[in-house]
Amino acid sequence: MSDKKILMPLEEIMGERFGRYSKYIIQDRALPDVRDGLKPVQRRILYAMFKEGNTHLKPYRKSAKTVGNVIGNYHPHGDTSVYDAMVRLSQDWKMRVPLVDMQGNNGSIDNDPAAAMRYTEARLSPIALELLAGLDKETVTMALNFDDTEYEPTVLPAKYPNILVNGATGISAGYATDIPPHNFEEVIDATIYRIKHPSCSLEDLMQWIKGPDFPTGAIVEGKEGIVNAFKTGRGKVVVRSKVEIQEEKNMNVIVVDEIPYEVNKADLVRKIDEIRLNKNIDGILEVRDESDRTGLRVVVEVKKDANVQNVLNYLYKNTDLQKNYNYNVVAIKNKRPTLMGLMEILDSYIEHQIDVVTRRSIFDLNKAQTRQHIIDGLIKAISILDDVVKTIRASKDKGDAKHNLIEKYEFTEKQAEAIVMLQLYRLTNTDIVALQKEHDEIEALIIELNKILDDPKELRRVIISELKETKSKYKVPRLTVILDQIKDITINKEDLIIPEDIYITVTRDGYVKRISPRSYKASEKTVFGKKDEDVLVNVFAANTVDKLLLFTNKGNYLYVPIHELEEFKWKDVGKHISYMIKVNNDEKIIKSVLVKSFDLPCYICLASANGQVKRTALREFEVTRYSKPIKCMNLKGEDELVDVALSTGEEGLILVSEKGYAALYSEELISVLGIKAAGIKGINVAGDRVVGISAFLPTSKDCLILLSEKGYIKKIRLLDIPASNRTSRGVLIVKKVKSNEQRIVSAFTVNDQQSLHIIDNAFVHHSFEAKHFNTTTIDTRFASMVEGVDNILMGLLDDVIIAKKGETEIKPKTEKKVIRLDEPNLFDAAAEMPVKEKKESIELPEVHFYDEDKPKKFKKLTIDDVLSEDE
């Protein structure tokens, strides 16, 4: 036993063994040979059937008999693997030109398995014989089989480039191959052209071979991908189903009659039906598979009022109605796996054909010369027939007769053998003429064969002639349509969403819920579900096609398609928005905007704690990818975003600081910047911080509400606040009292028709009417304290908590003149407003006035321009 021990490191043993295994499966299992396009198992199946005479000229034979023959003589593997390979060779939806003609159930395009091999029968197809023709003339190298009992071919002669015609797929150790089928006639034409023009370019070859030709037809898009594949062996094309849209009285119908290569039709139909059942897209009524023996047909019925092209585009994107095919042309060349382009494949095939024709010519030449030699002997023997007969009769036996003929008449061994075996009837005068004629024919054949062997041009002429002959036998029309450009598929996502009126709630901590009107109405006396220290800050009456923008303190915003929000009840806490969009723990939501259309001429105004402001067009906030927060303001250092306002482009802005300063000026002084810009200085807040920004119409009678942390409120008419320079500190609008300093926590504009909502530090909600608070001038202190509120956490408007319990119908509030940030129907209202022409903005001095002729513009005035108090 000690003599049998292997003293080697395990990694060396495993490496050496796995290396041998890998070499075997690369060379002799999974990858096709570039010369005949066959894997070993396929080659052995064809050879076994050919050797047994199981051709199309004879009756079918049981598949089990062929499988047993292959396993017993050539391929010592499982019967299932051999039968599966045999079945694939017979499937006309997998092979462009099937090599096996099978009778019985050989599977289906729905991936149904074939019947057991004891039930099916098979024989070689006519075109398969073109791969095997010439095997009996020593055209290829033969090798011993696994038990050294007989020989098998290492490659087939192959009268056409099968590797391109039928393609191949396979996975081995470290290598994989994906070669699509191509058109039989086009491949032969390209091969002939390459033989005639060895130095031709790829562009020249592509005049003949246009691209892949799948047995399932369909449409291939992307000439650039085909060119790359033909040039390098790698390339990507788009394969799209062939469809027809039919308009009927009550519906539109999408009819699919060709699908991409190697797509499981049953799975495709199932996937489309799942989309219908899950209502991923609105409009699909029914999906039916109407395929029969005459051809493939899948019918998708679509609602009459649905956008049928949009539905089709969605199916292209989300099912195998369209898929990518990636060329990966790896084949065995000189016993090595090689990535090859079209020209290298054709050159390898042509080189193989040169070798095959040369070997065949040598075989035929030897045979012809041998026959010529015998005929010469027979003719000579007949010319001295009496002497030859006398010599044979005088001999003791056959051997002695041969010896005597060689000695007396100088015949060779082969000639003597032919003479003694000659039948008496061959001695007639007619047969002598036939021998002379055969001699002349053989002489001409020998001259022709020598010419083929001596002249490379003549050899190539023979190859071209045989390729043309093969092409003429089989007519294989192109099935796949080739298009140069990849058609851009655009999906209008709005059309895919089922419009539905709903309610959206947003809390300060970022919990966003979608609530159905039915659930909302049923929860009239139910407490809103939230965390203990969270606050409901927005209730939007919305639609599933709307979008929600959530702004965070880190200068980011979250783009939330409302139809993707999960539905909860009013009393449920719901989920944090991070389940949809990953948000860091230190990132808090400060404002939300409901968007019905990004095409409106509106602007988002952003303000940071350090006084930076920026104005960005609303359309820039629309994105297609929204899996993470998107930058909307580039903040520096410890700065953070504190407030957001929305304007029409012709409004005034007011920024309020924590210490009671306010800067009021036209929004036109703020440049319109890109979404990732840092902004410009909007107010000087040295030792202070901004708490709010609001937009207002110059002619409005709105007031500014200030709320302090100690529970005080101050209401100021906007008309009483002087305008300021953009970069100044602004105007002090609250008189400071050292004995009772007040820090402002909320500042926003309000009209007397609105309600005011205050959340105190105990998270108790208080509601007040704005008109019940008296207005004061800017030179007064906080005088009035909010009744029942000791410490204020934040203030909200009626526009925020606008939805009334039991309300199910969503109506635009077009009667409102002021466009508020938090208004649920904000963009409905904005769409109703006239948009004025933009004019040059003028900075206001200390005194300002609103020109009645131009109610939305600021006018520069002097003291002399001010008339009576009434005016």
Side-chain angles (χ1 to χ4, degrees), residues 508 530 532-538 707-709 711 745-746 748 756-768 786 788-797 800-801:
R508 186 187 64 165
K530 62 181 180 62
D532 292 340
E533 296 185 353
D534 199 2
V535 177
L536 174 64
V537 294
N538 293 89
L707 297 174
S708 77
E709 60 180 340
V745 293
S746 292
F748 42 81
L756 180 66
H757 301 269
I758 296 174
I759 311 297
D760 63 23
N761 285 337
F763 302 99
V764 177
H765 175 259
H766 307 268
S767 181
F768 306 91
V786 182
V789 183
D790 294 331
N791 296 288
I792 297 176
L793 177 67
M794 63 194 301
L796 306 168
L797 284 180
V800 179
I801 313 295

Side-chain angles (χ1 to χ4, degrees), residues 603 605 615 647-653 665-670:
Y603 299 90
C605 302
R615 192 161 61 109
S647 70
T648 60
E650 299 179 340
E651 300 185 39
L653 295 178
Y665 44 79
S666 170
E667 71 169 285
E668 293 184 352
L669 297 181
I670 307 297

Side-chain angles (χ1 to χ4, degrees), residues 815-827:
E815 71 279 1
K816 298 196 67 163
K817 293 181 180 179
V818 181
I819 306 304
R820 293 294 313 144
L821 168 69
D822 337 66
E823 185 172 339
N825 299 286
L826 171 65
F827 294 95

Side-chain angles (χ1 to χ4, degrees), residues 593-607:
V593 175
L594 181 70
V595 181
K596 292 186 178 294
S597 172
F598 284 94
D599 296 328
L600 293 166
C602 298
Y603 299 90
I604 298 285
C605 302
L606 309 169

